[in-house]
DNA sequence: GTAAAGTTGACTAAATTACTCGGGTATGAG
DNA sequence: CTCATACCCGAGTAATTTAGTCAACTTTAC
C-alpha cells in the first residue's frame, strides 16, 4: 500500500476533527493551527474526504467540517484510501502482469502483505486512537499551545 | 515502511537465487534474463545485499552470487531492509518530532503499523515462499522461456 | 453588502525513485 | 600470459511522485 505524508496528514486531520467533535463545525483554519498543516493543503485533502463521504461541509461563516459518521464507525483504512491510491503493496496493482504481461515471482507475497496492512488499518477506528492516553496528552498540549498562539496573534 | 520497486526487485532476485541454489554461483546475467531486471540495476542491488551479508560473490569466469545462508534462514524483512531505508511507517522515522520538534497526534498509530509490517515480513523466509505451488509454477515457466531465449539468441 | 468559509483546478518546486553509463578490478580457463 | 568473464563502484540523469501554492469562485450568516 501507499503510505505517504498525504495519508498521514489526512489521518491526523481526521483525528483532530474527532477530538473536537460535538461542538459544531470545525474550520480548516483551526485544524491547520493545531496540527501545523498548511491550509491550502488541507483544502485539497478535505475535498477528497468529502467526496468519500467521510466528512460533511458547512459553508459560510460559522461553517466548517464535521465527521459524517461517529468516530467509532470510521476506520483508519477508509481515511487513507480516501486520499491515496488503492491499498496494494504489489507493483502491478493486483493485475499480475509486472513481468511483461506475466505474473512475477513475488506477486503472491505482496498480495498477502497488502491484506495484512489492510486488515490492521481497517480494524482501528478514529475513536480507538483518540481514546488513548498518549493521544489525549498530545491533544491537550496542542489545545494549550493553540490558545497561546491566539493570545500572541490577537491579544 | 518503505516498500518500493527496489525492495520488490531485491526480493524477486533473492528468490531466483534461492530457486537455483546448489548448482554453483548464479550470474546476474542469468537473473536478469529470467526476472527481467536490468543488469546494471541488479548490480546496484547486489552490492547492498552483499554488504548486508545476505549473499556471497565469486569473481572471475564461472563466478556469480550465491546465498550466504540457507534459504530457510533468510527472511523477507532482511532483504527489504538491506536495500531500503529502515522499516518505519512514521513520518519522523521514529524520532517523534514531526510537528516542529513535538510528537504528532498519529505517531503512535504509525509505529504500531510499522511493527505489524515488520512482524509479517520477518516471519516469512525465502524458503517459505519458494515452497509454494504458485511460485514453483512461475519459476518453471521462467526456466522454459529462458532456455527458449537462449536458442533464439545463440542457436 | 460583506466577510467568513468552503470549492476547484491548475500550477510549481522539491524530493525520491528508478534507472543508466563508464570505467574499474579480480580471476580462472585456455 | 592473456583475455574474456563477471563482479565492483560511483557519478549522473530521466521520470515520477509528492507536497505544497495560488488565484478565482460560490455559498451563506450577519
Ligand atoms: S507484483 Fe504483481 S505481477 Fe509482480
Ligand atoms: S509520525 Fe512521529 S511524530 Fe509524527
Amino acid at each position: 500500500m501507499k503510505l505517504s505524508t498525504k495519508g498521514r496528514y489526512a489521518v491526523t486531520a481526521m483525528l483532530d476533527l474527532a477530538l473536537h467533535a460535538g461542538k459544531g463545525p470545525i474550520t480548516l483554519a483551526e485544524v491547520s493551527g493545531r496540527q501545523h498543516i498548511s491550509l491550502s493543503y488541507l483544502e485539497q485533502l478535505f475535498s477528497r474526504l468529502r467526496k468519500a463521504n467521510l466528512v460533511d461541509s458547512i459553508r459560510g461563516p460559522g461553517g466548517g467540517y464535521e465527521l459524517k459518521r461517529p468516530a467509532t464507525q470510521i476506520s483508519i483504512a477508509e481515511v487513507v484510501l480516501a486520499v491515496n491510491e488503492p491499498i496494494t503493496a504489489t507493483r502491478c496493482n493486483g493485475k499480475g502482469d509486472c513481468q511483461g504481461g506475466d505474473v512475477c515471482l513475488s506477486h503472491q507475497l505482496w498480495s498477502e502483505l497488502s491484506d495484512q496492512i489492510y486488515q490492521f488499518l481497517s480494524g482501528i477506528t478514529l475513536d480507538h486512537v483518540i481514546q488513548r492516553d498518549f493521544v489525549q496528552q498530545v491533544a491537550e498540549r496542542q489545545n494549550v499551545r493553540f490558545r497561546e498562539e491566539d493570545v500572541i496573534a490577537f491579544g
Side-chain angles (χ1 to χ4, degrees), chain A residues 33-74:
Chain A
R34 276 191 296 257
Q35 308 304 333
H36 297 106
I37 308 172
S38 103
L39 182 57
S40 315
Y41 204 36
L42 280 174
E43 285 174 347
Q44 223 181 86
L45 298 177
F46 273 80
S47 163
R48 302 225 200 177
L49 293 171
R50 189 174 58 89
K51 281 172 191 155
N53 276 309
L54 294 177
V55 296
D56 266 335
S57 64
I58 297 98
R59 302 178 84 156
Y65 286 94
E66 44 193 31
L67 297 183
K68 190 148 193 164
R69 282 175 272 148
T72 50
Q73 318 226 344
I74 299 180

Side-chain angles (χ1 to χ4, degrees), chain A residues 6-155:
Chain A
K6 198 172 192 165
R8 282 187 290 249
Y9 276 171
V11 171
T12 304
M14 288 293 277
L15 288 174
D16 186 88
L17 239 56
L19 279 162
H20 299 87
K23 307 170 202 157
I26 314 288
T27 69
L28 291 188
E30 289 174 67
V31 178
S32 170
R34 276 191 296 257
Q35 308 304 333
H36 297 106
I37 308 172
S38 103
L39 182 57
S40 315
Y41 204 36
L42 280 174
E43 285 174 347
Q44 223 181 86
L45 298 177
F46 273 80
S47 163
R48 302 225 200 177
L49 293 171
R50 189 174 58 89
K51 281 172 191 155
N53 276 309
L54 294 177
V55 296
D56 266 335
S57 64
I58 297 98
R59 302 178 84 156
Y65 286 94
E66 44 193 31
L67 297 183
K68 190 148 193 164
R69 282 175 272 148
T72 50
Q73 318 226 344
I74 299 180
S75 73
I76 305 296
E78 285 181 276
V79 176
V80 173
L81 278 178
V83 298
N84 273 348
E85 309 304 312
I87 286 184
T88 174
T90 58
R91 172 171 175 69
C92 61
N93 282 325
K95 287 180 292 179
D97 61 355
C98 87
Q99 194 174 4
D102 285 319
V103 71
C104 76
L105 266 186
S106 52
H107 176 85
Q108 204 186 30
L109 177 67
W110 308 129
S111 288
E112 287 167 23
L113 175 60
S114 306
D115 277 359
Q116 285 279 323
I117 297 176
Y118 182 76
Q119 292 302 325
F120 178 76
L121 291 181
S122 59
I124 301 181
T125 66
L126 293 178
D127 189 62
H128 285 143
V129 179
I130 66 175
Q131 290 309 326
R132 298 179 188 172
D133 282 352
F134 177 85
V135 175
Q136 296 282 347
Q137 284 159 24
V138 174
E140 183 49 30
R141 192 199 70 220
Q142 289 176 341
N143 283 337
V144 170
R145 187 156 313 174
F146 187 50
R147 284 195 297 269
E148 279 168 5
E149 280 165 14
D150 275 358
V151 172
I152 294 164
F154 306 113

